[in-house]
Amino acid sequence: MPDATLTLRVHDTLSRRKVRIEPREVRGRKVLRLYVCGITPYDSGHMGHAFTFCTYDILVRFAEAAGIRVRYVQNITDVDDPLFERARRDGVDWMELAESQTALHIRDMGALGWRPPDVMPRVSEEIAPILRAATRLNARGYAYQTNALYFDASRYRGYGRLSRRSRLSMIRKLRHEGLLGTVGPGAKRDALDFRLWQPSAPGEPAWPSRFGPGRPGWHIECSAMAMRYLGEQIDIHGGGRDLTFSHHESERAQSECLTGKVPFARVWMHTGLVRYEGRKMSKSLGNLVFVSQALERAPAAAVRLYLASHRYGRDWDFSWSGLARAARLAARLNALLAGEKAGVGPSQTAKSGGVGPKIGMSAAGRRLVVQFNNALADDLDTPRAIRILREATRQREADAARWMLGILAGTASLT
Ligand SMILES: [Zn+2]
């Protein structure tokens, strides 16, 4: 299938519509600029993280197979309250904790066969651009300084539109997450205002600035890093759905105030939450299934196929039986592919600019690949893509199956 006919659409959280992705041309080549909010490196990665990052991996691989160059940035939030709290509790240096957990994240995702982001900026190494962004917001009148430098959310008319929350609902969520802080003289003027720069607590790192020594607030980092590495406007901004409010709402507001350019992100794309035994997988509930635990029980490609068997935007329940079912598919694929000599995979065809293998594939295999591409082009419908992969396996279309596996599971191991 030639890429000219491929129209990738993804669901945009802001407009609640499927939006056509049309990367702009840079020097004769389409470049898709993708920013995904990464981890706070203080604990091992769980299946919720894997679901988010593997979803964007499929998007990246699919776009690249269609001949679109992707510039992919995923940050590391290594200046953050949960990290400092954990370091204090465990009596370790925050930098060492961040370093070791970042390495684990990269190892986990490597095992899951991701195509690594082009840039993984760390907040601790991006203080200068973050401060420039805060200074510019202040100079433009969107910030004020009391006990910290705050963004004045009332200056941005659409605050709350991305998450479709009322003022009351936003305040409730901030309170629930312990992010509301103090409102009043000497503190923030309004409950929805948020910190751009704040004094550091004892034991936390502090950098000098015109607003006093301190550290960035949570949201400004992503605006600053997205703009530094991708420009003032980006194509897709991704992350887990729990980030829609307050993180992405705030990021959108401050980014558009910073540059005056609308929109900051053409598409906001969010992944659903992964539950375990009926409840959201979360640290506070202690019901996490770590990536490493899943990899002990099943081959990496099986974990990928299991994740991909769920619609990316919906919440779903992790189950070991579901993973076992994906492992059976992986075993059948392994048997099929081991019996065939290496065919044409995504890596070989990517340069030709088309989606799908072109040489040496049967007509039936090509038909299946077209169906597969159509499924992914339609808001990354991975469950449908998996059904087509199962069909290719049943029909023993090894080349087609190999192609599909390359998109859905990257380089993850089948055994
Ligand atoms: Zn972010």
Side-chain angles (χ1 to χ4, degrees), residues 35 37 75 222 237 247-248 251:
Y35 186 91
C37 287
N75 68 302
C222 286
H237 194 305
H247 186 48
H248 291 165
E251 217 188 303

Side-chain angles (χ1 to χ4, degrees), residues 367-380:
R367 269 197 301 278
L368 287 164
V369 166
V370 168
Q371 288 174 26
F372 176 88
N373 290 336
N374 288 340
L376 290 187
D378 182 11
D379 194 24
L380 226 58

Side-chain angles (χ1 to χ4, degrees), residues 220-242:
I220 189 69
E221 65 182 68
C222 286
S223 296
M225 291 189 275
M227 288 183 196
R228 176 167 188 198
Y229 295 103
L230 297 172
E232 293 183 338
Q233 290 178 292
I234 63 177
D235 295 296
I236 301 181
H237 194 305
R241 209 185 50 233
D242 51 343

Side-chain angles (χ1 to χ4, degrees), residues 159-394:
Y159 199 76
R161 255 189 69 206
L162 178 65
S163 56
R164 305 222 173 185
R165 283 176 182 269
S166 65
R167 177 179 168 83
L168 193 63
S169 150
M170 290 192 278
I171 292 173
R172 275 205 197 109
K173 185 154 196 270
L174 289 173
R175 185 179 291 124
H176 179 74
E177 293 179 342
L179 297 171
L180 189 56
T182 310
V183 184
K188 65 177 169 178
R189 293 180 194 155
D190 185 84
L192 297 182
D193 297 348
F194 54 87
R195 284 179 289 201
L196 298 168
W197 188 261
Q198 64 189 83
S200 306
E204 293 177 0
W207 288 270
S209 87
R210 68 174 64 194
F211 310 109
R215 64 180 176 97
W218 176 22
H219 314 301
I220 189 69
E221 65 182 68
C222 286
S223 296
M225 291 189 275
M227 288 183 196
R228 176 167 188 198
Y229 295 103
L230 297 172
E232 293 183 338
Q233 290 178 292
I234 63 177
D235 295 296
I236 301 181
H237 194 305
R241 209 185 50 233
D242 51 343
L243 294 177
T244 312
F245 186 81
S246 58
H247 186 48
H248 291 165
E249 196 76 70
S250 305
E251 217 188 303
R252 173 174 176 251
Q254 75 199 353
S255 298
E256 293 182 358
C257 291
L258 190 59
T259 63
K261 289 182 184 164
V262 178
F264 163 55
R266 287 207 251 161
V267 172
W268 290 89
M269 183 180 168
H270 290 110
T271 51
L273 304 176
V274 183
R275 293 180 299 246
Y276 185 52
E277 292 168 342
R279 305 180 78 175
K280 182 198 163 186
M281 226 180 247
S282 82
K283 192 131 330 188
S284 49
L285 293 170
N287 63 346
L288 302 178
V289 176
F290 294 109
V291 174
S292 55
Q293 290 172 306
L295 287 172
E296 280 165 20
R297 301 267 283 263
V303 176
R304 291 287 308 252
L305 294 174
Y306 178 51
L307 295 170
S309 67
H310 302 88
R311 283 299 265 132
Y312 79 83
R314 299 200 189 133
D315 298 350
W316 56 280
D317 272 286
F318 177 90
S319 78
W320 292 107
S321 59
L323 179 57
R325 184 162 180 261
R328 288 193 291 276
L329 172 59
R332 282 200 300 279
L333 275 164
N334 187 44
L336 174 65
L337 300 185
E340 305 278 332
K341 59 181 189 320
V344 180
S347 56
Q348 286 100 319
T349 54
K351 289 177 197 75
S352 69
V355 176
K358 290 196 173 64
I359 14 173
M361 188 184 289
S362 70
R366 279 201 298 272
R367 269 197 301 278
L368 287 164
V369 166
V370 168
Q371 288 174 26
F372 176 88
N373 290 336
N374 288 340
L376 290 187
D378 182 11
D379 194 24
L380 226 58
D381 190 343
T382 52
R384 200 164 106 211
I386 296 253
R387 286 196 292 278
I388 297 158
L389 172 62
R390 283 186 186 278
E391 187 54 36
T393 313
R394 240 188 317 271

